[in-house]
């Protein structure tokens, strides 16, 4: 890669993407099965800036597992700090059908879940948070947006921060697919100073070359467009994007890619609203079963939640 035109590259098999972010240094990190190469700016001394060093160290410390549930094409994420002596981890968007698998992976890695996060009240599958916290990890707490109307141990709102090890997940309200959608932006905060955003878990608000539908669960196309542009497209181009679903086998993208290539969200707001109104998508097959359960953490017998927001 020496001498390569500077920018952000994603290598998936034989494909490559170059963003508009230019500078003359390169470094590598791994995100899932995708190798991300960031060619960045050098100081006059020829050394990395402190910001670049912090980002590189953060990616080395981060342990992440991206797991797939085939029926609803849902991604579940397990995040931990390799340097955390308590071995704490967080889980994002687990599914009931694969809760046993997730628990096995978590135990194999000698991790202890503290928070089980959902990006929203899902309509296409039943959340696995209830199963995980009652059958496998009794100390874990479920997390959901306060405005979602769903039950959870911890209700969060825009701007709040969740922590594991030396990492922080900032809650960003990204409604539009549903009224209660949130995205989680990951930072490293060693020594109390945040790194640049490393990645964002966008749920159904921003998908790879797409976005979530807006025709049920208080969906609003105009609100979704504004959420993505103000809360997600405002992140640096190099920020990695991990969605809740993909139906073509793609695992991740970047903010820069989606700002440039997303076929819906690169349109004007009015054109986006028109496109979304003309999708004519079928009624979600599992919504009648999934939605009531997901409003009570995936288990009808769940106890009254403790609102810790």
């Amino acid at each position: 890669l020496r001498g390569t035109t500077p920018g952000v590259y994603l290598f998936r098999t034989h494909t490559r993407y170059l963003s508009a972010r230019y500078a003359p240094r390169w470094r590598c990190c791994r995100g899932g099965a995708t190798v991300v190469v960031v060619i960045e700016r050098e100081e006059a001394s020829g050394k990395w800036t402190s910001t670049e060093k912090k980002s590189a160290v953060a990616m080395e410390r981060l342990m992440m597992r991206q797991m797939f549930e085939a029926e609803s094409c849902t991604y579940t994420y397990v995040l931990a700090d390799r340097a955390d002596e308590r071995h704490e981890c967080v889980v994002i968007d687990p599914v009931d059908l694969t809760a046993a698998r997730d628990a096995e992976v978590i135990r194999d890695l000698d991790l202890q879940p503290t928070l089980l996060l959902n990006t929203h009240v899902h309509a296409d599958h039943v959340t696995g948070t209830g199963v995980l916290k009652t059958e496998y990890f009794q100390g874990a707490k479920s997390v959901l947006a306060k405005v979602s109307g769903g039950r959870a141990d911890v209700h969060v709102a825009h701007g709040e921060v969740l922590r594991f090890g030396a990492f922080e997940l900032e809650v960003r309200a990204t409604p539009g697919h549903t009224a209660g959608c949130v995205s989680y932006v990951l930072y490293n905060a060693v020594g109390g100073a945040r790194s640049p955003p490393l990645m964002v878990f966008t749920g159904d608000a921003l998908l790879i070359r797409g976005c979530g539908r807006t025709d049920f669960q208080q969906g609003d196309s105009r609100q979704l467009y504004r959420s993505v542009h103000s809360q997600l497209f405002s992140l640096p181009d190099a920020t990695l994007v991990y969605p809740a679903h993909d139906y073509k086998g793609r695992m991740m993208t970047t903010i820069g890619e989606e700002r440039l290539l997303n076929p819906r969200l690169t349109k004007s707001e009015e054109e986006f609203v028109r496109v979304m109104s003309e999708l004519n998508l079928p009624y979600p097959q599992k919504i009648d079963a999934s939605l009531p359960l997901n409003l009570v953490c995936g288990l009808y017998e769940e106890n009254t939640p403790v609102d810790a927001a």
Side-chain angles (χ1 to χ4, degrees), residues 90-153:
V90 300
V91 183
I92 300 175
D93 284 336
V95 181
D96 65 337
L97 297 178
T98 46
R101 176 208 62 189
D102 297 350
E104 181 180 15
V105 170
I106 291 167
R107 286 174 171 169
D108 284 348
L109 295 173
D110 193 26
L111 298 175
Q112 180 59 48
T114 55
L115 299 172
L116 309 171
L117 289 66
N118 279 295
T119 52
H120 62 291
V121 175
H122 302 274
D124 56 358
H125 67 268
V126 175
T127 179
T129 54
V131 175
L132 286 173
K133 74 175 198 169
T134 58
E135 297 186 18
Y136 298 99
F137 306 107
Q138 283 71 30
K141 295 183 180 297
S142 57
V143 180
L144 193 63
K146 182 183 295 185
V147 298
S148 69
R151 178 181 296 175
D153 298 308

Side-chain angles (χ1 to χ4, degrees), residues 191-206:
R194 274 186 176 180
S195 68
L198 301 173
M199 56 187 67
V200 57
F201 300 88
T202 56
D204 288 18
L206 177 61

Side-chain angles (χ1 to χ4, degrees), residues 12 30-34 63-69 73-79 90-93 101-102 105 109 199-201 208 241-246 249-253:
R12 301 193 192 92
R30 287 193 177 274
T34 302
M63 179 188 295
M64 187 179 85
R65 294 294 182 270
Q66 181 183 34
M67 297 179 287
F68 186 67
E69 189 279 306
C73 295
T74 298
Y75 286 124
T76 296
Y77 302 93
V78 178
L79 305 174
V90 300
V91 183
I92 300 175
D93 284 336
R101 176 208 62 189
D102 297 350
V105 170
L109 295 173
M199 56 187 67
V200 57
F201 300 88
I208 300 171
V241 175
Y242 289 96
H245 305 280
D246 189 77
R250 299 165 298 191
M251 300 178 70
M252 52 84 72
T253 180

Side-chain angles (χ1 to χ4, degrees), residues 218-256:
Q218 301 84 47
D220 185 315
S221 299
R222 197 174 300 279
Q223 186 179 46
L224 177 59
Y225 185 91
R226 294 176 180 178
S227 292
V228 171
H229 279 263
S230 65
Q231 298 302 322
L232 301 178
F233 283 178
S234 59
L235 294 167
D237 280 356
T239 307
L240 306 181
V241 175
Y242 289 96
H245 305 280
D246 189 77
Y247 307 98
K248 296 183 178 181
R250 299 165 298 191
M251 300 178 70
M252 52 84 72
T253 180
T254 68
I255 290 296

